[in-house]
Amino acid sequence: MSDASPRKTPILTVQQHILQEQKRFPGASGEFSWLLSGITLATKMIQAQVRRAGLTDILGTHGETNVQGEIQQKLDVYADEVLIHCLGVRESIGVLASEENEKPMILRHGSPNANYAVVFDPLDGSSNIDVNVSVGTTFSVMRRPKGDKVTDPDEWLLQPGSQQIAAGYVVYGPSTVLVYSVGNGAHGFTLDPSIGAYVLSHENIRMPSAGKYYSVNEGNRDSFPREYNFYLDRLRKGALGHQYSSRYIGSLVPDFHRTLLKGGIFLYPPTADHPTGKLRLLYEANPIAFIAEQAGGVASDGRRRILDIEPESIHQRTPLIVGSRVEMAEFERCVSAG
Ligand code: P6P
């Protein structure tokens, strides 16, 4: 017998939530919510293809390689094109940049209405698609720098993560969940396919102050800096008062989403192959760090707060250590002890 009683909590879609949050931006006359609606529309289109990846001839490689030198999965290309299309028609966006494109796209940075730059990774972890593992989209929104003669797109993009005015991600897992923040807490919305809307499911997410999982690619441990292995050994030996389990998907967005909801720590340290870290600062580490801090967590590159890093290039890499306050405090003690 289905429960016919009226739903106790009202359905709040992400568009309604964005409009409420929009009030925090004096003078942003709907342009901001219109911008974010470009991301929600694009990710609905992306998830529709991700869900069908095994059914259509969209699996496998696209054959070309992107700026990262990785083999582009066809879904990568599709996701990139969809985000560029949906965001490109938002007149408030002057500059777009993507993990898939070496150079930023200058849309209309001369226009007085173009107040924002958006940088994104259209489909992070896409090498996992062929084996049906969760993947994600990450995005970061920056305000146009002061001064109306800012014609260099890099100036729009190369701002520290603390300057993000919005950021978030979508995880394409058993369900499709959008997590975003405009600096007023981190909020999660689950896509309800029956109505085609992202519905509020995780209001004002708080990352637990401690967790029981650590998440790192142990295959690289021989090349981690010594203090990282010292730290991981302490977790394994219960130095923080309880046993930890290892959880590593090898796909940043679901690995972080678990850390956000369950607590613990995710690490992508410097390695022999990636001495400055593998993950990208602008469109992976910054949005993740923004969400983590909004939920009460901590994010560093091993030495500095991620959001304080002054970027020098769009595809710049960084180590990323992000998680609960307890695990991050212990990590900082181990690293500073050297
Ligand atoms: P590794 C996926 O390719 C990715 O960019 C992130 O999503 C993920 O966290 C990381 O690389 C995994 O890298 O070296 O552990 O396979």
Side-chain angles (χ1 to χ4, degrees), residues 11 47 77 111 197 207 212 220 237 248 255 264 272 282 333:
I11 288 183
Q47 73 86 31
V77 176
S111 153
M207 187 188 288
K212 59 182 182 179
N220 296 324
K237 289 169 182 159
Y248 191 70
D255 269 328
L282 278 192
R333 274 193 292 275

Side-chain angles (χ1 to χ4, degrees), residues 64-142:
E64 295 166 31
T65 58
N66 60 17
V67 66
Q68 320 302 333
E70 295 156 359
I71 294 288
Q72 266 186 304
Q73 300 292 340
K74 287 179 181 174
L75 269 174
D76 265 351
V77 176
Y78 173 78
D80 189 45
E81 289 169 354
V82 161
L83 276 158
I84 291 169
H85 172 78
C86 292
L87 290 170
V89 298
R90 264 68 182 169
E91 56 283 351
S92 60
I93 298 176
V95 173
L96 281 179
S98 163
E99 194 248 11
E100 296 294 330
N101 303 290
E102 186 166 359
K103 296 283 182 206
M105 291 146 268
I106 301 171
L107 302 179
R108 50 184 76 79
H109 66 286
S111 153
N113 301 322
N115 296 314
Y116 305 105
V118 182
V119 58
F120 53 84
D121 185 348
L123 208 57
D124 179 77
S126 56
S127 56
N128 292 296
I129 290 169
D130 286 1
V131 291
N132 203 26
V133 165
S134 300
V135 293
T137 295
T138 56
F139 63 90
S140 169
V141 183
M142 295 287 189

Side-chain angles (χ1 to χ4, degrees), residues 42-316:
T43 57
K44 287 180 197 174
M45 295 169 68
I46 292 167
Q47 73 86 31
Q49 291 305 318
V50 167
R51 300 264 166 262
R52 300 175 61 242
L55 303 174
T56 58
D57 178 31
I58 204 160
L59 277 176
T61 60
H62 177 59
E64 295 166 31
T65 58
N66 60 17
V67 66
Q68 320 302 333
E70 295 156 359
I71 294 288
Q72 266 186 304
Q73 300 292 340
K74 287 179 181 174
L75 269 174
D76 265 351
V77 176
Y78 173 78
D80 189 45
E81 289 169 354
V82 161
L83 276 158
I84 291 169
H85 172 78
C86 292
L87 290 170
V89 298
R90 264 68 182 169
E91 56 283 351
S92 60
I93 298 176
V95 173
L96 281 179
S98 163
E99 194 248 11
E100 296 294 330
N101 303 290
E102 186 166 359
K103 296 283 182 206
M105 291 146 268
I106 301 171
L107 302 179
R108 50 184 76 79
H109 66 286
S111 153
N113 301 322
N115 296 314
Y116 305 105
V118 182
V119 58
F120 53 84
D121 185 348
L123 208 57
D124 179 77
S126 56
S127 56
N128 292 296
I129 290 169
D130 286 1
V131 291
N132 203 26
V133 165
S134 300
V135 293
T137 295
T138 56
F139 63 90
S140 169
V141 183
M142 295 287 189
R143 197 186 298 282
R144 176 200 196 103
K146 296 267 185 291
D148 56 5
K149 292 282 177 270
V150 182
T151 55
D152 177 355
D154 282 4
E155 287 186 59
W156 291 57
L157 296 165
L158 301 183
Q159 303 181 53
S162 56
Q163 299 304 305
Q164 293 173 103
I165 58 164
Y169 60 83
V170 174
V171 52
Y172 308 103
S175 57
T176 298
V177 177
L178 163 74
V179 176
Y180 92 107
S181 175
V182 293
N184 185 35
H187 310 283
F189 300 78
T190 301
L191 182 65
D192 180 341
S194 67
I195 58 173
Y198 281 107
V199 175
L200 182 64
S201 52
H202 302 73
E203 185 165 21
N204 197 25
I205 300 171
R206 306 309 298 157
M207 187 188 288
S209 57
K212 59 182 182 179
Y213 299 129
Y214 71 87
S215 185
V216 68
N217 182 341
E218 310 257 11
N220 296 324
R221 63 180 297 176
D222 290 343
S223 66
F224 291 166
R226 182 178 49 78
E227 58 272 21
Y228 283 68
N229 281 319
F230 175 71
Y231 170 72
L232 292 168
D233 284 344
R234 283 181 59 78
L235 294 189
R236 290 186 199 100
K237 289 169 182 159
L240 292 193
H242 61 273
Q243 186 63 29
Y244 281 79
S245 292
S246 173
R247 291 284 187 281
Y248 191 70
I249 300 168
S251 187
L252 173 63
V253 175
D255 269 328
F256 173 72
H257 191 63
R258 178 198 57 248
T259 306
L260 177 69
L261 298 186
K262 300 291 187 187
I265 189 167
F266 170 88
L267 308 92
Y268 204 104
T271 66
D273 289 345
H274 298 292
T276 59
K278 174 181 184 184
L279 302 176
R280 306 292 178 169
L281 174 61
L282 278 192
Y283 43 80
E284 291 172 349
N286 273 347
I288 292 292
F290 190 74
I291 295 294
E293 290 197 2
Q294 287 294 316
V298 179
S300 102
D301 70 349
R303 293 182 294 114
R304 298 166 293 178
R305 179 178 177 236
I306 288 285
L307 298 184
D308 288 342
I309 300 175
E310 291 281 351
E312 292 167 12
S313 65
I314 293 171
H315 301 293
Q316 170 175 337

